[in-house]
Amino acid sequence: MTSFTTLKVALRALNKNKMRSGLTALGIIIGVGAVITMVGIGNGARAQVEAQVASLGQNVIQVSPGSTRSGGVRQGAESAVTLTVEDAEAIAEEISVVVAVSPEVKTKGQIVAGNRNWSASIYGESSDYFAIRQWPVENGETFTDQHVRASAKVAVLGPRAAEELFGDQDPVGEIIRIQNAPFTVIGVLKSKGTSISGSDNDDNVFVPYTIAMKRLVGQQSNLRRVNVQAANTDALPEVEAQIVELLRQRHRIGSGDEDDFKVQSQLEIGEVATQTTRTMTMLLAAIASVSLVVGGIGIMNIMLVSVSERTQEIGVRMAVGARGQDILRQFLVEAITLSCLGGVIGIAVGTGSSKVISAAQNWPTLISAESVLVAFLFSAAVGIFFGYYPARKASQLDPIDSLRYE
């Protein structure tokens, strides 16, 4: 019996019991649809996190304070006050593969513009910050090295902060007051969306770190962070190691003592950030795969019933020359056809469900070709695995007993 004839016979047999075949395939449809939907949600979340990591800039390394101890109790990350402007300058001057450095301080305060006011995060940065973050302006310009050296009272606004303070009015050239100090707005940045920490990048105000340390933060030397940009991605491990060695020397940290700072490259930040979404995607896919197993058990059950119902048919086929392997192939093809048809319909159901969930709940979803292919192959494998035993049982029937079967 040729493969085409086997497939034709299998389709005819399934067509005789449309309702039963449809209900059997329903388990596979639900399983594949659930896998596609869950993986799509997980991939969408991971893509969103990766986009947030990419918004940090290119080839970025972040240096932040470490933890402190008080009475033997550790105070947590970034509780130390160990990073200084001099540390940032040393990194820029002594590490050759570093192309940009921005010392960073941060505070939060009320910003007033005319009769409007708005509470926003205020960052003190160097002129290199916008190049490090690859953050262009929508209007105006960013501050320069001259502004930083002169501690100029100039500010660059995120788009949301600009909208809240000025509405539809062009803010460039206008005056805002931060802690009663007047600052001239010289630029408005393009929208960058949500940061990796979940905060709104667009709801920030940026000023030179020198004036921020003198007038806004209330300290003259300690930094919240140092943003560093390496020349290329391959240089990140080397730059990271050199920063650690340089800061240990500057902070006089002895051999074996714990660092009072933390250095993280963009690659490490991205790995930590995507680990959770990767685990969530695997968990969702594993849970959804249970539906496929249940569907496979349904296929095995129906195929066993089919073998019992068609015992005489099997006997007749064997009597006219069909071999055991022909019977095995026939029933196996029926099981695979049933599972594959369910897989195709399930892919359509899963894709549609993902789009509905994305539109209704505003969740990011991403259907990848790999997830579709894996779901389909898994559904076919389920048909082979759970269809083999009934097919083998049918192929081992005795022709004489089968013909006598009532």
Side-chain angles (χ1 to χ4, degrees):
M1 186 181 292
T2 64
S3 299
F4 177 76
T5 304
T6 302
L7 178 61
K8 188 176 178 180
V9 171
L11 290 173
R12 187 186 304 127
L14 294 174
N15 191 52
K16 286 181 180 178
N17 297 280
K18 295 185 181 67
M19 179 64 73
R20 187 169 71 181
S21 298
L23 291 175
T24 305
L26 187 60
I28 300 296
I29 293 170
I30 293 173
V32 171
V35 169
I36 294 293
T37 303
M38 295 300 100
V39 172
I41 291 173
N43 286 342
R46 186 169 64 182
Q48 187 178 45
V49 170
E50 289 173 350
Q52 291 169 349
V53 172
S55 72
L56 290 174
Q58 191 173 18
N59 307 324
V60 176
I61 294 175
Q62 292 185 340
V63 186
S64 54
S67 62
T68 58
R69 290 180 180 270
S70 179
V73 179
R74 300 187 69 175
Q75 301 301 308
E78 299 188 10
S79 58
V81 285
T82 54
L83 287 180
T84 65
V85 174
E86 290 74 20
D87 289 334
E89 291 173 347
I91 291 172
E93 293 170 1
E94 298 184 29
I95 302 179
S96 59
V97 283
V98 166
V99 294
V101 173
S102 178
E104 178 178 296
V105 293
K106 178 186 176 183
T107 187
K108 191 172 181 69
Q110 205 72 13
I111 303 167
V112 179
N115 60 355
R116 294 193 180 198
N117 66 86
W118 183 248
S119 179
S121 295
I122 304 155
Y123 288 84
E125 303 284 354
S126 78
S127 58
D128 286 338
Y129 177 77
F130 306 101
I132 294 173
R133 293 288 305 275
Q134 294 186 321
W135 203 343
V137 292
E138 183 73 37
N139 190 18
E141 60 185 9
T142 59
F143 43 81
T144 63
D145 287 338
Q146 185 176 355
H147 288 130
V148 174
R149 287 193 298 269
S151 300
K153 294 178 182 177
V154 293
V156 177
L157 306 182
R160 187 184 177 194
E163 181 182 358
E164 295 293 342
L165 290 170
F166 294 96
D168 296 332
Q169 179 185 352
D170 184 5
V172 176
E174 300 293 332
I175 301 295
I176 59 174
R177 301 190 70 84
I178 307 175
Q179 296 183 8
N180 292 324
F183 284 77
T184 302
V185 178
I186 61 172
V188 178
L189 297 168
K190 288 188 176 181
S191 177
K192 216 171 184 35
T194 307
S195 71
I196 191 66
S197 62
S199 61
D200 188 356
N201 276 314
D202 299 338
D203 193 21
N204 297 326
V205 175
F206 300 92
V207 301
Y209 74 88
T210 47
I211 189 62
M213 297 178 79
K214 290 178 181 178
R215 293 295 303 269
L216 306 179
V217 181
Q219 59 185 11
Q220 293 295 320
S221 59
N222 296 322
L223 302 175
R224 171 182 180 265
R225 181 176 294 154
V226 178
N227 298 292
V228 181
Q229 184 178 40
N232 52 66
T233 304
D234 294 338
L236 284 174
E238 178 188 353
V239 173
E240 192 173 353
Q242 291 184 18
I243 289 174
V244 171
E245 182 180 358
L246 175 63
L247 292 183
R248 285 183 65 88
Q249 292 176 356
R250 290 185 56 81
H251 296 184
R252 295 182 174 84
I253 299 173
S255 177
D257 292 340
E258 186 178 355
D259 294 340
D260 60 1
F261 56 88
K262 183 179 180 181
V263 181
Q264 272 189 309
S265 71
Q266 189 173 7
L267 298 178
E268 294 170 328
I269 296 171
E271 180 62 28
V272 171
T274 56
Q275 182 62 45
T276 302
T277 57
R278 190 181 298 116
T279 303
M280 180 187 72
T281 302
M282 293 176 62
L283 179 61
L284 291 174
I287 294 173
S289 297
V290 174
S291 302
L292 273 173
V293 176
V294 173
I297 294 172
I299 289 177
M300 177 183 284
N301 182 46
I302 292 302
M303 293 306 297
L304 286 171
V305 172
S306 181
V307 169
S308 298
E309 290 179 345
R310 296 159 62 187
T311 300
Q312 282 191 339
E313 176 191 329
I314 294 169
V316 170
R317 289 183 181 278
M318 287 185 170
V320 296
R323 296 168 297 174
Q325 64 181 15
D326 294 326
I327 303 299
L328 172 68
R329 184 163 59 246
Q330 177 189 338
F331 280 88
L332 192 58
V333 167
E334 287 184 24
I336 295 173
T337 301
L338 201 57
S339 62
C340 287
L341 286 174
V344 171
I345 299 172
I347 289 170
V349 170
T351 304
S353 300
S354 298
K355 293 184 181 299
V356 170
I357 291 173
S358 179
Q361 301 294 329
N362 199 26
W363 288 352
T365 57
L366 179 62
I367 305 298
S368 64
E370 291 81 2
S371 64
V372 171
L373 180 60
V374 168
F376 179 77
L377 292 177
F378 192 46
S379 69
V382 166
I384 295 172
F385 182 81
F386 288 99
Y388 181 78
Y389 174 72
R392 186 170 182 273
K393 184 178 179 181
S395 69
Q396 292 178 337
L397 290 176
D398 183 84
I400 303 300
D401 292 337
S402 299
L403 288 170
R404 293 175 179 172
Y405 183 82
E406 295 293 338

